[in-house]
Amino acid sequence: LEELNFSVSRGEIFFVIGGSGCGKSTLLRNLIGLQRPQAGGVRFFGESFTEADAMRRRELLRTFGVLYQSAALWSSLSLRENVALPLEEYTALNRRERDELAALKLAQVGLTGYEDYYPAEISGGMKKRAGLARALALDPDIVFFDEPSAGLSPLLQDQVFERVKEVNEAGVAIIMVEQNAARC
């Protein structure tokens, strides 16, 4: 990745599309702070994310959510507990409040009644939706999607993209990594 420069406004959807090995995942890791850029930097809301001190980076991290390609759910936690993780990490909500908010986020992605299920007990599409509920737990300003349709049937892909559209219509900026433009 060289000479890359882009900006995304509130309520916009920005796609990063390219073949396997072209740097899409590297870019995503740089944007969300899992990897430091070799040169240049990343800015959110006009502020340098890469140069911010640890406390400010943590504050900026709270403003975005991430849906990983594999959903990245903890297998030993229920869906409710998975969605409540960012709430526990970044808020002062008590357990009951976190559980209620996690149930609400799961309901928003069509998983009412599945709060106490574990990832191994649900389908791939349901895992993606649970991952999306976790990504939305903190009501982020930006959501990053790493190939949200990968491994899903066309019907499930449509369902996931319908949820992405709903998130975007709420004014959330979307940065989506996809290998195949036809999926978008």
Side-chain angles (χ1 to χ4, degrees), residues 109-126:
V109 298
L111 291 175
T112 299
Y114 290 91
E115 298 85 357
D116 296 321
Y117 281 63
Y118 288 83
E121 299 174 312
I122 61 175
S123 71
M126 294 169 84

Side-chain angles (χ1 to χ4, degrees), residues 37-90:
Q38 291 179 354
V42 176
R43 301 179 73 75
F44 292 109
F45 317 110
E47 184 175 351
S48 176
F49 181 63
T50 47
E51 294 175 16
D53 64 33
M55 183 178 288
R56 184 61 187 141
R57 282 176 61 93
R58 180 174 165 75
E59 291 169 4
L60 288 168
L61 284 170
R62 191 193 187 292
T63 66
F64 57 81
V66 181
L67 175 59
Y68 297 96
Q69 185 174 350
S70 65
L73 300 172
W74 291 93
S75 61
S76 61
L77 300 178
S78 70
L79 299 186
R80 179 192 333 267
E81 292 167 328
N82 267 284
V83 174
L85 278 175
L87 299 169
E88 184 174 352
E89 180 71 20
Y90 290 100

Side-chain angles (χ1 to χ4, degrees), residues 79-157:
L79 299 186
R80 179 192 333 267
E81 292 167 328
N82 267 284
V83 174
L85 278 175
L87 299 169
E88 184 174 352
E89 180 71 20
Y90 290 100
T91 73
L93 298 174
N94 64 42
R95 183 183 173 109
R96 183 186 54 76
E97 293 167 328
R98 290 191 309 263
D99 286 349
E100 287 175 3
L101 190 52
L104 173 67
K105 296 300 179 179
L106 286 164
Q108 289 174 340
V109 298
L111 291 175
T112 299
Y114 290 91
E115 298 85 357
D116 296 321
Y117 281 63
Y118 288 83
E121 299 174 312
I122 61 175
S123 71
M126 294 169 84
K127 288 176 187 174
K128 293 270 187 170
R129 288 187 283 150
L132 178 57
R134 185 184 55 208
L136 300 176
L138 295 170
D139 295 321
D141 296 316
I142 305 167
V143 179
F144 298 90
F145 292 87
D146 185 8
E147 298 198 35
S149 63
L152 299 179
S153 70
L155 177 63
L156 292 176
Q157 288 177 12

